[in-house]
Every structure is written in structure tokens, then in C-alpha cells.
Amino acid sequence: MRPEHYDVVVCGAGVAGLAAACAVGRLGHRVLVLDKRLTPAPVAKGEVLQPGSLAVLHEWGVTDALDRAGALRLSRLAARAPDGEPRMVLDYSRLPAAHPWLLAHDYPVILETLEDALPGNVEIRRGVQFRQPRSTAGRVTGVRCDDGDLSASLVVAADGVSSRLRAAVGLDAPRRDYPHRLAAFDLHGVAVPPEFTAYVTENGLRLHYPLPGGRVRLYVQIAPDELRGVDADGMVRWADQVLAGCPGLDPLASSFRAALDRKQVLPVSRALADSLTAPGIALVGDSGHLVHPMAAQGMNSAIADAYDLAAKLRQGGSLADDVVDHALHRYDAARRQNLGHIGRTSHNAARMITGGSRIGDRALAGTGANDRLRHEVTHTMSGLGVRRLTPLDRLHQLGLPDPRSNRLPGWVR
């Protein structure tokens, strides 16, 4: 039997896969989304959207749905001392954007709103295990699944960090693990200011932001084996140490202790694939790149992947093999350049917050005290466009006087 044919097959129904299906489906192509899970995994990830992503999601009708579902607007991304004193505050309200804020909601709700926005020419099949790509003469032409083969003019690999499809076509995304993990907690019945708050302590990062329903997501930086085998009494002692080292968390103390038995320990890595494409296949989201979650970039970069992939396909005008592969070449060139810069910016920010180095502390203080640099960093982090820092800017971050520190770009509100 000839395999069933779709214009595009997307493997993975996380944010990256659903965004790709939405973006490509809006071009009128017949799209199939496959996912091995029947329901999304309940993980603490992908809960904060940047202004650049909100512009895309508004075009798709997703932001209105998120607002109706109770999403919260966060006006700032702040790095603070353990007692809460500000060290660097990125003010999103001053951005030249239709949505000058961060938007926070639970990952499953973001997935639900994306799925609801899919056009009628997009189909989803859950509980389907895709094994490997089909190929002809070195070009991917579909996927092999447990219940049969599928052919496609384009395959989109959105199957995550350990992407089976990426490995099968010989693409590599060297992963560099950070020397720490993040313990995530879902706190109930508490309130925090409407900002994405990172505390810089002697023992590393403590990060929180509000979620709907009077909840707060809290992340605590830990050593890789710090909580392995720790019993309930040991967890209480550990929590007491965390709170003692970060007085800014005092309002969350009782809720934090109540959530200790529901922790998730998450690995933290960074990566960028050597190439995001091979003939007939494109990588989007975690299959192609990773950044430290402190920078709130992972999900947002995945949405940008999807949007840019669709834009390159639209410019091509057809799904002929050579046209698709030319579009993929342009997608790879554009996205890898952008992702490389986002990755460096995110890594540098993570080192300032988590590394505990004297140079990191100086860079954080220098950026926090310089209006111009703060606004350039905010623009890049927001996804509205890369603002590159020069070698001279790096010296200003480390304390070299900057005569332009108060000369704000014309776009600042």
C-alpha cells in the first residue's frame, strides 16, 4: 500500500510542534501533527511569553484566548539581592511593542489555546509513536510510525531535547550541561509582584513569578545530587536554609514548605544544532536548541522558529522538493544567526545570576546602573529584535564609565 500523504508532518505536539502546525497550516497546507503522548506531561516549563511571541500569537488569535483564560501580565524582569533590593530591572513597559509585557500562564493552558487556534486543515493524532524518517535519495520524504508509514513534502521535527528524528538524519546538537539543576515548586495561596524575579544569592539563583489562581512558580538552584535521597525532615531543613539565605522569599515561606513533597528537579543545559535542517526536514524548538530557563527564551524561540519557517515556505510559493529545500536553507541561515545571539545573551545572563563570580557580579551591577545597556538587553530578550552589545559595551558592563549611559534609544517610551 502507498503511504498516506500530507503536505507537512509535524512530529511532537508541544509548543514548538503546535506553533509550527499553526504557522504552516495558515498557508493552506494539509498538516498532520503526531505525538506519542495522549496528554501533555505535567512539567514546570514554558510558562512565560515574551512580547515578540505575543505579536505572533496575537496574529493567530491566541493572546485573546490566554487573556480570557486568566493569563497574567508581568511588567518587569528583575534581578535582586537576597533581601529584595534591585540590582538590575528590565522594564518591559518601555518597549516599542503592541504587547509591552511578559505573559504568564500554565504550560497545558498555552498548549490548549494553541491547539484551539489550529486551522481546519491541521489534524492531530495522539498516542502515535514515530520511529524514524522515511527517505529517498538522501531526502526525507515522510516518517515511519508504529501504525504505518506517512509521506510528506516536509517533516518538522519538534520531538524535543533527545530528538529521534534529528539523530536519524545525522544532525547534531551538542549539549552543554550547567553545573547545577533547578528544583521547581508550585506554591498556592500566595501573591508576588507582577514581575519575573531572580534573586542572586551566595548559593545561586532563586526565581519566582506569579501564575493564575493565586499561585507562584518558584525555582531554586541546586547541585546535581543535592536533593537525591533526602527524606521529609531533611527537605524541611533544606528549605529553612534556602529561606535563611534569601530573606526576599519570606512572604512565600509557609507555601514553600507546604510544596516540598511536590518538587520537580529539572536538568539545565544549552545547545544549538550544527544545522537546523536537512533535505526535507526542519528542526524547531528543543530539538534544535536549548537555553537556560532563567532567560525565559526557550518557548519563545520555538514560536519564532515556527513563524520564520512558515515565512520562508510562503516566499517559496510551492512544496516542490527543490523549492522546499531552498526555503529550509534560508530558514537555517536566518534562525541559527538569531539563535546564536540569543543563546550567548541567555548564557551570559545565566552566568551573572547563577555563577557567583566576581566578574558576573560586576557585570550585573554595571548593566543595572546603565539605562542604555538595560534597554538594549531588554529589547533583545523581548524577542523584538537583536541589539548587539559591542566590546566597548562589555567594558561598560564591568565598570568602565559610559558617557552615553543616559542616552536612550529613540524607541524608549
Side-chain angles (χ1 to χ4, degrees):
M1 293 179 60
R2 296 182 60 185
E4 187 177 6
H5 181 79
Y6 286 83
D7 294 326
V8 180
V9 171
V10 178
C11 296
V15 163
L18 292 178
C22 192
V24 175
R26 287 169 62 88
L27 302 179
H29 301 310
R30 187 176 180 229
V31 179
L32 174 65
V33 181
L34 303 175
D35 197 89
K36 64 183 180 181
R37 295 181 178 274
L38 293 174
T39 58
V43 294
K45 61 174 285 186
E47 295 171 326
V48 178
L49 293 158
Q50 297 276 0
S53 296
L54 295 178
V56 173
L57 297 179
H58 178 73
E59 184 178 321
W60 299 344
V62 173
T63 54
D64 289 343
L66 286 171
D67 284 338
R68 290 193 297 271
L72 302 180
R73 297 179 181 183
L74 314 182
S75 57
R76 299 179 302 272
L77 190 157
R80 298 184 178 276
D83 62 359
E85 284 297 308
R87 300 189 62 188
M88 182 182 72
V89 178
L90 305 184
D91 185 354
Y92 278 70
S93 69
R94 306 178 76 181
L95 289 170
H99 306 87
W101 53 75
L102 300 160
L103 198 67
H105 213 316
D106 297 274
Y107 186 68
V109 175
I110 295 173
L111 292 179
E112 182 181 342
T113 55
L114 275 170
E115 184 171 342
D116 289 344
L118 294 174
N121 47 301
V122 177
E123 175 187 347
I124 299 181
R125 294 183 191 171
R126 300 188 185 276
V128 176
Q129 181 69 61
F130 40 88
R131 294 296 180 185
Q132 60 185 2
R134 300 174 70 248
S135 62
T136 302
R139 186 179 193 280
V140 172
T141 57
V143 292
R144 300 190 183 280
C145 305
D146 283 351
D147 58 353
D149 289 0
L150 297 165
S151 72
S153 300
L154 171 65
V155 171
V156 177
D159 52 336
V161 175
S162 302
S163 173
R164 180 174 294 183
L165 296 180
R166 181 190 66 221
V169 297
L171 298 178
D172 190 23
R175 197 162 95 189
R176 303 178 209 178
D177 294 332
Y178 285 90
H180 60 263
R181 302 287 185 269
L182 291 179
F185 301 89
D186 189 14
L187 311 187
H188 291 254
V190 288
V192 295
E195 71 172 34
F196 189 93
T197 305
Y199 295 94
V200 186
T201 80
E202 291 184 357
N203 295 310
L205 169 71
R206 281 80 173 102
L207 183 155
H208 65 61
Y209 50 84
L211 287 169
R215 293 179 299 120
V216 170
R217 176 71 66 216
L218 172 65
Y219 292 96
V220 178
Q221 179 181 331
I222 59 173
D225 297 324
E226 184 171 336
L227 297 182
R228 182 170 295 177
V230 177
D231 61 17
D233 290 340
M235 285 297 299
V236 172
R237 291 191 295 272
W238 172 82
D240 289 342
Q241 292 173 353
V242 170
L243 294 166
C246 188
L249 295 179
D250 285 350
L252 308 180
S254 60
S255 295
F256 177 34
R257 293 188 180 98
L260 292 176
D261 62 344
R262 302 189 302 274
K263 72 179 184 300
Q264 295 183 47
V265 176
L266 308 174
V268 188
S269 309
R270 60 190 177 107
L272 177 58
D274 297 333
S275 173
L276 295 173
T277 64
I281 189 169
L283 310 183
V284 296
D286 288 353
S287 65
H289 48 84
L290 296 169
V291 295
H292 196 289
M294 189 230 72
Q297 294 296 316
M299 175 172 61
N300 296 278
S301 294
I303 293 169
D305 291 346
Y307 192 79
D308 202 44
L309 176 61
K312 298 299 186 288
L313 293 172
R314 182 189 299 111
Q315 293 166 5
S318 84
L319 291 181
D321 290 355
D322 58 338
V323 175
V324 168
D325 290 343
H326 182 62
L328 293 180
H329 176 75
R330 290 184 292 115
Y331 164 76
D332 177 63
R335 289 304 297 151
R336 272 182 46 80
Q337 182 179 25
N338 184 277
L339 289 165
H341 186 78
I342 291 294
R344 287 189 295 274
T345 301
S346 300
H347 178 59
N348 289 336
R351 286 195 303 174
M352 285 193 293
I353 303 296
T354 67
S357 71
R358 184 171 299 177
I359 291 178
D361 286 342
R362 288 178 62 190
L364 183 64
T367 305
N370 188 311
D371 274 357
R372 181 181 63 85
L373 293 181
R374 282 205 316 276
H375 291 304
E376 297 295 329
V377 171
T378 306
H379 197 277
T380 295
M381 300 288 280
S382 71
L384 296 176
V386 169
R387 298 295 179 105
R388 300 183 185 280
L389 298 185
T390 67
L392 181 58
D393 289 334
R394 300 294 184 191
L395 293 176
H396 292 321
Q397 286 182 305
L398 294 176
L400 180 71
D402 181 7
R404 301 176 297 153
S405 64
N406 294 319
R407 296 180 192 173
L408 303 183
W411 52 261
V412 174
R413 298 186 179 201

